[in-house]
Amino acid sequence: MRLGILISGRGSNMRSIVGAVRDGRLSAEVALVLSNKQRAPGLSWALENGLPTAAVSRKGLDREAFDARIDAELRSAGVDLVVLAGFMRVLSPWFVRQWRIVNIHPSLLPDFPGLDVHQRALDAGVSESGCTVHFVDEGVDTGPIIAQRRVPVLAGDTEDSLAARILEQEHVLYPEAIQRVIDGD
Ligand code: GRF
């Protein structure tokens, strides 16, 4: 299975997937790391680590043209599965119909979709949170759930401390969930 990983920022989930491929926990190949930000730290890391990369900026493009550029990059890299890893753009319904796409979100979906997740979880006073890997459909964080991991919310937690506790679990969950998709579970 050839993965096309889409990022916008630091790319720690992308790095955990690359690590899992390299040490044989994930039977896939990273065919492309694509960022919509030329300066994303994750993109520099991917370049330095010899991975195929692409940068597609949204600047000057409408959503259809932007998605068509991404689609073309993925096709020329021979991608089978699109993996969103901190990709901060919503993809068009057209794009979503072209590809099999998975995403990771730092909450126990269906709770707290969208942005500002950790603060909303803290404000709601939940006793646990976590992360979810799901298939991407036309909504925002609404597609069928593949796997989740839970973490406790602790007294005194801040947005940052909760985000860090969840991120650790994201790095375990995402490679495992992708392997399940590959295995057809
Ligand atoms: C992660 O928390 C992920 O769940 C969310 O965006 C963040 C990306 O972090 N979708 P990274 O770029 O993978 O480090």
Side-chain angles (χ1 to χ4, degrees):
M1 181 80 72
R2 292 175 63 78
L3 309 180
I5 308 178
L6 270 51
I7 64 168
S8 298
R10 80 192 148 182
S12 71
N13 277 291
M14 178 270 296
R15 296 201 304 272
S16 84
I17 293 163
V18 171
V21 168
R22 289 191 168 158
D23 68 22
R25 278 177 293 129
L26 179 52
S27 52
E29 254 180 89
V30 178
L32 185 65
V33 176
L34 183 151
S35 173
N36 64 314
K37 303 257 183 227
Q38 182 87 52
R39 295 202 178 147
L43 193 62
S44 316
W45 185 90
L47 266 169
E48 283 157 18
N49 282 272
L51 295 164
T53 59
V56 177
S57 165
R58 170 77 201 264
K59 278 202 192 100
L61 299 177
D62 62 21
R63 190 156 85 146
E64 284 65 34
F66 175 68
D67 284 5
R69 287 278 304 280
I70 296 176
D71 178 78
E73 293 285 354
L74 295 169
R75 284 185 199 285
S76 73
V79 165
D80 305 303
L81 178 68
V82 176
V83 176
L84 306 184
F87 186 67
M88 297 306 287
R89 289 280 179 186
V90 176
L91 295 158
S92 63
W94 170 81
F95 185 92
V96 169
R97 284 195 299 271
Q98 307 302 306
W99 295 93
R100 200 159 180 227
I101 312 171
V102 294
N103 181 42
I104 190 158
H105 182 78
S107 76
L108 296 173
L109 290 174
D111 292 343
F112 312 116
L115 297 173
D116 205 17
V117 177
H118 305 300
Q119 193 56 53
R120 286 192 289 138
L122 291 172
D123 291 347
V126 293
S127 60
E128 41 173 31
S129 188
C131 47
T132 303
V133 175
H134 64 94
F135 287 110
V136 173
D137 64 10
E138 294 181 14
V140 174
D141 303 322
T142 51
I145 291 172
I146 299 163
Q148 294 184 309
R149 280 179 90 93
R150 316 176 90 83
V151 305
V153 176
L154 304 177
D157 257 340
T158 61
E159 225 179 319
D160 287 351
S161 64
L162 180 57
R165 189 175 310 119
I166 293 173
L167 190 64
E168 230 175 86
Q169 298 307 313
E170 291 184 41
H171 296 160
V172 178
L173 180 69
Y174 215 177
E176 281 178 6
I178 293 168
Q179 186 63 54
R180 284 178 58 179
V181 171
I182 292 170
D183 294 340
D185 272 6

